[in-house]
Amino acid sequence: SKNISELGIKELTEGIKSETASIYFDLDGKKRLAEIITSKKAGWKIIGVIEESEITASARSLRILIYIVGLLFTAGAIVAGYFAAKKISDPVTETAEVLNKTAEGDFTNSISNLHESRNDEIGTLARSFNTFIAKQRESMKQVLSAAKTVKGASSEINSGNQNLAQRTQEQASTIEEISANIEMITENL
């Protein structure tokens, strides 16, 4: 058995002078940790020595596990974010397409019932827009109906005007004949 000071480890020799100590030192080319405590009853120094690699091995495994879990959560968050963004952007894109077609005068389109049945802002937007389109469609039908009525009335007025012009011309001819006959009669008298 050797005395601690005979080992030639300066850190241990200094550490045993304290009641308790944690000391790192090199032995046989490996870094080690020594925990030194003093027994209160016996007055003995108790030294526990462990290689640092044994301590850090579990921490290294834990660190790798944390990295893997972190990567999995990050991948999950990216996938969830993609689908959440798609759930929002798809109805907005469809609404924009329908609006563009409506702006070009096509009132036959509407936003999908799938989006209209949602209980959020997109559902409200879809319901409002579809109501707007339905009212515009009805207004266009009324305008077309009124235009047909005006066209029919215009045709009748045109026909009446032509008939009136023809009768006026016939009456003018008749008046000319009467006038000519009156002149002949007055000349003969």
Side-chain angles (χ1 to χ4, degrees):
S1 136
K2 288 185 179 181
N3 191 341
I4 294 289
S5 57
E6 292 174 7
L7 292 174
I9 303 170
K10 180 181 168 186
E11 294 89 351
L12 274 178
T13 306
E14 293 296 320
I16 60 171
K17 294 178 184 174
S18 305
E19 287 281 321
T20 61
S22 294
I23 300 166
Y24 283 97
F25 63 94
D26 288 322
L27 180 64
D28 298 330
K30 295 183 180 177
K31 193 158 183 120
R32 300 173 192 264
L33 170 65
E35 280 293 321
I36 303 170
I37 58 171
T38 304
S39 170
K40 296 205 188 265
K41 289 184 182 180
W44 291 8
K45 298 282 182 178
I46 302 168
I47 302 172
V49 178
I50 189 169
E51 286 185 22
E52 186 181 40
S53 62
E54 287 182 49
I55 297 171
T56 59
S58 62
R60 196 175 356 221
S61 297
L62 183 61
R63 185 176 354 141
I64 291 170
L65 179 63
I66 290 171
Y67 287 151
I68 290 170
V69 170
L71 287 172
L72 289 174
F73 274 114
T74 302
I78 289 171
V79 168
Y82 170 78
F83 285 111
K86 190 156 178 56
K87 187 174 182 177
I88 293 169
S89 69
D90 282 354
V92 172
T93 301
E94 180 185 345
T95 301
E97 289 171 0
V98 172
L99 279 169
N100 285 334
K101 288 177 183 176
T102 303
E104 293 170 0
D106 182 1
F107 290 92
T108 61
N109 295 301
S110 63
I111 297 174
S112 167
N113 288 338
L114 177 68
H115 303 310
E116 194 173 323
S117 64
R118 290 172 57 149
N119 291 325
D120 58 7
E121 293 81 3
I122 292 174
T124 302
L125 176 65
R127 286 187 297 280
S128 297
F129 182 75
N130 285 344
T131 301
F132 168 76
I133 289 296
K135 287 182 179 182
Q136 288 300 315
R137 215 178 285 136
E138 187 59 36
S139 293
M140 292 302 284
K141 286 179 184 176
Q142 290 174 356
V143 167
L144 287 172
S145 175
K148 286 179 183 177
T149 303
V150 168
K151 183 179 178 186
S154 175
S155 294
E156 285 182 30
I157 290 171
N158 188 28
S159 174
N161 283 343
Q162 286 178 353
N163 187 358
L164 179 63
Q166 181 182 1
R167 284 185 302 166
T168 303
Q169 192 173 11
E170 287 174 3
Q171 285 179 356
S173 292
T174 305
I175 290 173
E176 279 183 30
E177 272 183 45
I178 292 173
S179 180
N181 285 339
I182 290 176
E183 275 184 33
M184 270 184 24
I185 292 175
T186 52
E187 281 179 16
N188 287 338
L189 280 174

